[in-house]
Amino acid sequence: MLDQDVRYLKYKTFLNTYCPYCRQSFNVEEKDKKVIVFNANFNGSALKLKLSPFLDVFEVESSIPIEKNEILTELECPYCKKSLIKPEMRCGECGSQVGEVIISTHDKLIPFYLCLRYGCEWHGLSKSDERKIKLKIPRQEMPEQDQKLRTANHQEVPYGYTSELALLEAGRCLQCKKPECVLGCPVNIDIPEFVRLIAEEKFDEAVKKIKERNVLPAICGRVCPQENQCEETCILGVKDEPVAIGNLERFVADWERKMDLVKIPKIKQKLNKKIAVIGSGPAGLTVAADLQQLGYSVTIFEAFHETGGVLTYGIPEFRLPKSIVHFEINYMKEMGVRVELNHVIGKIITVDELLENFDAVFIGVGAGLPKFMNIDGESLGNVFSANEYLTRMNLMKAYKFPEYDTPKPKGTRVAIIGGGNVVMDCARTAIRTGSAEVIIVYRRSRSELPARHEEVRHAEEEGVKFRLLTNPVKFLGTDSNTLKAMECIKMELAEPDESGRRKPIPIEGSNFIIDVDMAVVAIGNSANPIIFQTTPDIKLNKWGYIIVNPDTNETSKEFVYAGGDIVTGSATVIQAMGAGRIAANAIHKKLSNMNGKRIN
Amino acid sequence: MFQITRKQELAKGTIVRFDILAPKIAKKAKAGQFIILRVNETGERIPMTIADKDEFAGIITIIFQVVGKTTALMRSLKEGDFIRDVAGPLGRPAEVEKIGTVLMVGGGTGVAILYHVAKAFKEAGNYVISIIGAREKDLVILENEMDFISDELVVTTDDGSYGYRGFVTQPLEKYLEERYDIKLIYSIGPIIMMKNVCAITKKYNIPTIVSLNPIMIDGTGMCGGCRVKIDGKIKFACVDGPDFDGQLVDFNELSKRNSIYLKDEKDCLLFSIK
């Protein structure tokens, strides 16, 4: 067998090791650690060769001093005494003799080779067997804050991988020839390549690889619904758990930031062309970063007093620390992106006025007009839209009330209505602000919950309760017009409709009352009309979202592009970034192909 | 940062007027629109209607009553001080056109907003009749300014210490009895006043516009805090308003919603005094 056919097993994989002949296990407990023990022979003297089952420590126990680089002449099974030496094979590193043992993986026994030269740590298995061994490594979970402690603070829950965990997890990737994960990613990150670089401990190259396609890895690693994207299509997931791509993405991005290795990219040429980006959420930031890097002068117009869009006002601190959002935005500012706060475009400046001064305009304002259920009592005090609740808590920092002036919405028993990530965010925020009981009321069943699995799990761990197959029909108020209870009706699921989801139908006469003194309606958003009130020539669909050419994301108004929730309706951070990427490419192409300047 | 170029205390210091340097906003602001401001890093976002503007000097004027922590803090600011954030102009402008005779009814600080709209109607060539009311003489604001842009002006006080004794609704009813050429009524003030005005004008079937000021955070339609029921449907005052057809507004619900945060305001004020 040639050495290139033998793969080096680098990662600290725990192995059960057996004799290929008598099939007895070599693993022995010795004090606190498990070791593999062989009978070995050196120049005619008996030795005991010890190897940790993690395959990273060679030790030889003997009364004869043994030098490094000396070769064992015999290796035998301590039970059946048969020789384990494979004379036809050689070590991949030093060419010495190798021994063969058997390791077990998933009911399969695989031959495994190790070099017999003392001091050489070469060991490996054949390429065709590599897949089988990788399945042996379980998916590595991120260490997290204690369940009890974390409900009393607003700090981030998962701590992220350590380098060791990242190496282990990256080692699980099979490096598929036709990687399905890349197709599952809305911005087509070269996932196998960056995972391989992590496995080789080249963290800096890994993060560069990601940043070729995704400018905000620290954010996407945290908030992307990977289980419905890259990790859903991972081949390992068919029989086992998929590779934790999101956790790895987060790990390298955090590593780069913590090691202070983030460098401002050099901008090769100045193009003397100006781009206006409306909204500083994920779509807008992507367009800004991409085009600034290509040499354009980008100005972002943000309606609020803080940048980041949904990353700032929507996603809570414990899920996405604001310091990370600030870091990413500072990075863009250092690249030369200008940011104008408190600019509500459509009001202070119209899109047409922007076109007089900028070569192209990108609209990434998000959906941002909350939906209500239109049921009785929805205007009572302590009934909030998710946007209002989260904006107060996150953007206005009401959780620090009265240090901050914005009043903190509070309730003892709180109902959150809906089933998405925003619902989990609201519920977990309420738990952290001292509500005794938080109940999620969702009209479908558990398997239809659209939220990320991790968010649902975190919410449950923190004590959030679920009332599934339940829908509110009425809010009941006290004399002072604040909420005191909610009338609900039980639902059942009918056959799937055209959308493929099972339609919830109310069960007549099943009404009941839940006592709650605060409710948050988190059933989605519709399109914000502000820009279009002054720009009627941008065509909208029947729901008020912008119609774009899907290849370029250009709107019906030339030189005006759009992307994110204002085009698709409520979606994910990474989808918005994907849309921003398409628009940035199209803007660059269009402006490059133009003769002369569009504006003076 | 936005500089306060002029400060003036009206009505015994309970109502304050600021001129704020904000050239971009001044250029675009129209009557009936508002701004959202945040005084400092820890401050709330609060809506303030633009009471006047000077496009050439780049100045917008706001007039506010001191009711809670933020407005108390604002009163403590001096000329030359800065307000951290000002976003605007927000909301739909008042629909101003030449239609003949219009009747403007304002109460309390609502007069500040009314002034800007009345001025716009006057400039559009209308015959402007104004009725402004206050609790007592010292609380009457902008009387001279209103007089300057109105063809007829009636001032009322609840206690009769100045002008006509009673509520603005009494002279309103008198005008509606006597004049048949009133094409539009525009009313801004306390919710109960607007509700009563609408109840009267309904009898005469004259279009009545009211300007609402519900709870608001972002002012861009995002939070839904400013939801009001108009003709049974939920509308957002910040993007669909603040002006609405007064006959369609559910005033009872609006006054209930506006009372919700009163306790929090007090808590916050107490904290700031400590």
Side-chain angles (χ1 to χ4, degrees):
Chain A
M1 202 186 284
L2 294 167
D3 57 330
Q4 58 259 42
D5 288 336
V6 176
R7 296 289 281 252
Y8 186 64
L9 191 71
K10 186 175 175 187
Y11 315 105
K12 299 185 177 179
T13 316
F14 182 86
L15 301 172
N16 283 314
T17 316
Y18 304 92
C19 167
Y21 307 104
C22 67
R23 299 288 159 98
Q24 297 220 55
S25 169
F26 295 142
N27 292 354
V28 189
E29 296 271 355
E30 200 176 80
K31 285 182 193 157
D32 294 319
K33 57 178 184 183
K34 277 191 169 173
V35 288
I36 301 169
V37 177
F38 308 99
N39 286 336
N41 197 321
F42 170 70
N43 291 343
S45 321
L47 297 171
K48 227 180 189 179
L49 177 70
K50 291 203 291 189
L51 182 66
S52 99
F54 293 110
L55 295 171
D56 57 348
V57 192
F58 266 84
E59 267 180 42
V60 177
E61 217 175 57
S62 154
S63 54
I64 314 159
I66 187 158
E67 301 282 321
K68 276 201 172 180
N69 300 331
E70 283 179 304
I71 297 169
L72 298 166
T73 51
E74 188 50 88
L75 185 74
E76 64 183 26
C77 168
Y79 308 106
C80 68
K81 312 287 184 205
K82 278 215 166 118
S83 172
L84 303 176
I85 288 193
K86 268 288 205 214
E88 69 273 23
M89 276 193 64
R90 288 284 175 235
C91 166
E93 238 164 56
C94 59
S96 314
Q97 287 203 71
V98 296
E100 184 199 60
V101 294
I102 295 287
I103 54 174
S104 76
T105 74
H106 280 273
D107 317 323
K108 287 198 181 77
L109 296 173
I110 296 169
F112 186 77
Y113 310 98
L114 26 112
C115 178
L116 295 184
R117 184 170 61 90
Y118 177 58
C120 175
E121 295 190 0
W122 186 89
H123 49 259
L125 70 169
S126 73
K127 208 172 189 173
S128 55
D129 289 333
E130 191 194 8
R131 285 176 150 240
K132 296 173 193 160
I133 183 86
K134 285 205 169 163
L135 296 174
K136 189 85 174 120
I137 315 172
R139 179 177 161 115
Q140 302 298 310
E141 294 305 326
M142 285 189 286
E144 290 179 350
Q145 260 202 77
D146 182 82
Q147 288 176 27
K148 295 240 164 54
L149 292 179
R150 74 186 190 218
T151 54
N153 65 49
H154 289 265
Q155 278 142 34
E156 198 177 10
V157 172
Y159 293 122
Y161 279 153
T162 57
S163 317
E164 286 76 27
L165 288 173
L167 288 176
L168 260 179
E169 184 60 35
R172 297 179 65 228
C173 175
L174 298 179
Q175 297 291 317
C176 304
K177 277 209 182 102
K178 285 184 188 161
E180 297 284 325
C181 50
V182 179
L183 303 177
C185 173
V187 295
N188 305 114
I189 296 173
D190 188 348
I191 294 166
E193 184 63 12
F194 99 74
V195 175
R196 186 181 65 81
L197 289 165
I198 294 178
E200 292 174 7
E201 286 193 61
K202 293 173 183 158
F203 299 149
D204 50 340
E205 286 178 39
V207 72
K208 261 185 217 134
K209 192 81 215 158
I210 300 176
K211 283 191 171 173
E212 282 173 11
R213 307 289 313 169
N214 177 353
V215 281
L216 304 168
I219 293 170
C220 290
R222 285 172 167 83
V223 302
C224 266
Q226 290 98 359
E227 67 256 26
N228 303 328
Q229 297 176 341
C230 50
E231 295 182 17
E232 186 182 37
T233 50
C234 176
I235 274 315
L236 276 184
V238 177
K239 280 191 173 167
D240 197 359
E241 296 269 338
V243 176
I245 300 166
N247 295 356
L248 288 171
E249 179 183 27
R250 171 189 161 147
F251 164 75
V252 276
D254 286 358
W255 176 87
E256 186 193 34
R257 193 178 65 253
K258 282 177 196 152
M259 300 302 240
D260 210 10
L261 291 173
V262 181
K263 288 201 185 73
I264 308 303
K266 277 211 181 96
I267 290 157
K268 285 171 199 140
Q269 84 257 46
K270 267 258 167 249
L271 288 175
N272 203 17
K273 283 182 179 162
K274 288 159 71 190
I275 311 293
V277 171
I278 310 170
S280 63
L285 290 180
T286 307
V287 173
D290 281 7
L291 291 178
Q292 187 78 24
Q293 254 174 56
L294 288 168
Y296 294 88
S297 307
V298 180
T299 306
I300 297 179
F301 295 93
E302 167 57 47
F304 289 167
H305 56 265
E306 246 184 79
T307 46
V310 72
L311 307 171
T312 299
Y313 75 74
I315 303 176
E317 176 77 19
F318 55 82
R319 193 145 83 83
L320 177 64
K322 299 301 152 239
S323 58
I324 291 174
V325 181
H326 292 158
F327 183 90
E328 300 291 358
I329 287 161
N330 271 339
Y331 169 81
M332 298 210 182
K333 283 187 188 163
E334 281 178 43
M335 256 165 60
V337 174
R338 290 183 57 204
V339 176
E340 294 274 8
L341 297 174
N342 296 316
H343 274 63
V344 182
I345 301 300
K347 295 290 183 189
I348 192 163
I349 307 171
T350 64
V351 172
D352 287 303
E353 285 164 335
L354 285 178
L355 281 172
E356 289 167 17
N357 292 307
F358 292 88
D359 294 273
V361 174
F362 176 80
I363 304 174
V365 294
L369 205 67
K371 281 185 191 160
F372 287 93
M373 294 181 289
N374 263 320
I375 59 175
D376 277 354
E378 225 165 1
S379 61
L380 285 168
N382 263 8
V383 178
F384 301 97
S385 73
N387 281 357
E388 179 177 0
Y389 182 63
L390 291 174
T391 303
R392 280 176 184 275
M393 287 299 187
N394 300 328
L395 179 72
M396 305 311 297
K397 300 195 171 59
Y399 68 90
K400 292 183 182 169
F401 178 82
E403 180 195 339
Y404 279 72
D405 297 349
T406 304
K408 171 169 77 182
K410 50 189 176 278
T412 320
R413 279 169 59 92
V414 179
I416 319 280
I417 297 142
N421 286 318
V422 173
V423 172
M424 304 301 148
D425 286 346
C426 293
R428 296 174 65 201
T429 304
I431 284 269
R432 279 164 175 75
T433 42
S435 298
E437 198 173 355
V438 178
I439 309 155
I440 289 175
V441 178
Y442 180 53
R443 59 193 184 136
R444 289 189 167 94
S445 74
R446 172 168 295 259
S447 50
E448 281 86 15
L449 278 173
R452 293 176 77 209
H453 298 173
E454 185 182 298
E455 308 309 325
V456 177
R457 174 173 66 82
H458 279 153
E460 280 187 321
E461 284 171 3
E462 288 163 12
V464 173
K465 292 181 184 143
F466 286 78
R467 283 266 192 162
L468 300 165
L469 292 166
T470 303
N471 210 23
V473 290
K474 196 188 213 177
F475 291 108
L476 308 166
T478 61
D479 297 340
S480 58
N481 303 307
T482 55
L483 182 69
K484 76 170 181 204
M486 194 166 83
E487 187 180 324
C488 297
I489 192 164
K490 291 216 171 94
M491 311 290 278
E492 60 187 348
L493 292 179
E495 291 306 305
D497 56 10
E498 307 87 60
S499 73
R501 290 205 298 178
R502 297 181 68 187
K503 199 175 179 255
I505 306 172
I507 304 171
E508 278 205 26
S510 65
N511 296 39
F512 62 102
I513 306 269
I514 310 179
D515 285 334
V516 284
D517 55 2
M518 183 177 125
V520 179
V521 182
I523 56 169
N525 287 296
S526 47
N528 191 309
I530 286 186
I531 286 185
F532 318 117
Q533 288 174 352
T534 48
T535 319
D537 51 340
I538 294 177
K539 278 204 184 113
L540 308 177
N541 67 18
K542 62 177 171 177
W543 299 283
Y545 297 117
I546 302 179
I547 298 172
V548 294
N549 172 350
D551 298 326
T552 58
N553 279 356
E554 190 165 8
T555 66
S556 55
K557 196 174 171 74
E558 208 183 3
F559 299 107
V560 178
Y561 295 74
D565 284 4
I566 194 61
V567 173
T568 57
S570 302
T572 62
V573 169
I574 190 78
Q575 280 170 306
M577 292 179 57
R581 169 69 36 79
I582 292 173
N585 288 340
I587 291 170
H588 180 51
K589 202 170 161 194
K590 183 155 188 162
L591 296 184
S592 312
N593 290 342
M594 273 181 18
N595 296 322
K597 287 178 75 177
R598 195 183 72 76
I599 51 163
N600 292 308
Chain B
M1 300 288 266
F2 296 82
Q3 193 171 30
I4 301 163
T5 55
R6 181 170 158 229
K7 178 188 175 187
Q8 187 187 0
E9 294 201 353
L10 316 167
K12 287 192 204 160
T14 58
I15 296 175
V16 181
R17 172 195 168 122
F18 275 173
D19 285 353
I20 300 170
L21 189 63
K24 277 188 186 170
I25 299 174
K27 198 174 153 199
K28 282 298 174 76
K30 292 206 175 76
Q33 288 189 299
F34 63 94
I35 55 163
I36 292 263
L37 64 81
R38 195 175 70 129
V39 181
N40 55 23
E41 185 53 43
T42 57
E44 278 186 278
R45 286 172 72 94
I46 55 165
M48 287 279 168
T49 305
I50 300 166
D52 203 356
K53 63 155 187 175
D54 184 337
E55 199 182 321
F56 301 104
I59 277 168
I60 53 167
T61 302
I62 56 169
I63 295 176
F64 57 92
Q65 192 168 11
V66 181
V67 285
K69 182 181 174 185
T70 304
T71 42
L73 176 69
M74 282 168 64
R75 186 172 64 177
S76 72
L77 296 175
K78 294 183 287 290
E79 276 178 20
D81 285 352
F82 289 88
I83 291 174
R84 194 177 169 98
D85 298 294
V86 178
L90 300 169
R92 286 170 178 265
E95 282 173 25
V96 178
E97 51 190 340
K98 186 173 176 188
I99 45 172
T101 306
V102 291
L103 187 53
M104 315 298 292
V105 187
T109 23
V111 176
I113 311 159
L114 188 76
Y115 168 69
H116 201 190
V117 181
K119 188 171 139 191
F121 271 104
K122 182 69 198 167
E123 281 166 359
N126 294 288
Y127 186 85
V128 176
I129 304 168
S130 301
I131 306 169
I132 59 172
R135 248 191 359 258
E136 53 179 87
K137 186 186 175 191
D138 289 337
L139 298 179
V140 175
I141 57 166
L142 300 181
E143 190 194 348
N144 290 340
E145 286 87 343
M146 284 302 291
D147 192 31
F148 189 73
I149 50 112
S150 304
D151 295 285
E152 292 174 37
L153 174 71
V154 178
V155 182
T156 71
T157 50
D158 298 1
D159 63 354
S161 53
Y162 185 69
Y164 186 95
R165 183 193 175 114
F167 301 119
V168 287
T169 42
Q170 289 147 349
L172 167 72
E173 201 146 19
K174 203 168 142 238
Y175 268 115
L176 293 177
E177 277 295 326
E178 288 169 1
R179 292 189 73 121
Y180 295 97
D181 60 342
I182 294 168
K183 293 285 190 306
L184 180 79
I185 292 151
Y186 198 96
S187 174
I188 307 170
I191 293 167
I192 180 72
M193 184 205 92
M194 291 191 284
K195 185 183 169 185
N196 291 338
V197 166
C198 291
I200 293 167
T201 59
K202 194 171 185 186
K203 286 187 281 185
Y204 296 89
N205 205 12
I206 300 171
T208 308
I209 304 294
V210 293
S211 176
L212 306 183
N213 53 340
I215 302 157
M216 212 176 268
I217 300 175
D218 65 295
T220 62
M222 205 205 67
C223 76
C226 64
R227 58 189 184 272
V228 288
K229 272 232 181 90
I230 307 293
D231 203 12
K233 290 191 198 81
I234 291 177
K235 295 274 177 191
F236 296 156
C238 62
V239 289
D240 302 317
D243 292 356
F244 292 101
D245 180 344
Q247 304 304 352
L248 303 177
V249 175
D250 187 337
F251 285 107
N252 294 342
E253 199 174 281
L254 180 66
S255 71
K256 284 176 193 171
R257 268 191 77 72
N258 270 19
S259 66
I260 296 162
Y261 279 101
L262 285 179
K263 193 187 163 298
D264 285 315
E265 269 291 340
K266 272 187 201 136
D267 289 352
C268 202
L269 197 60
L270 283 175
F271 178 82
S272 65
I273 292 164
K274 269 186 228 158

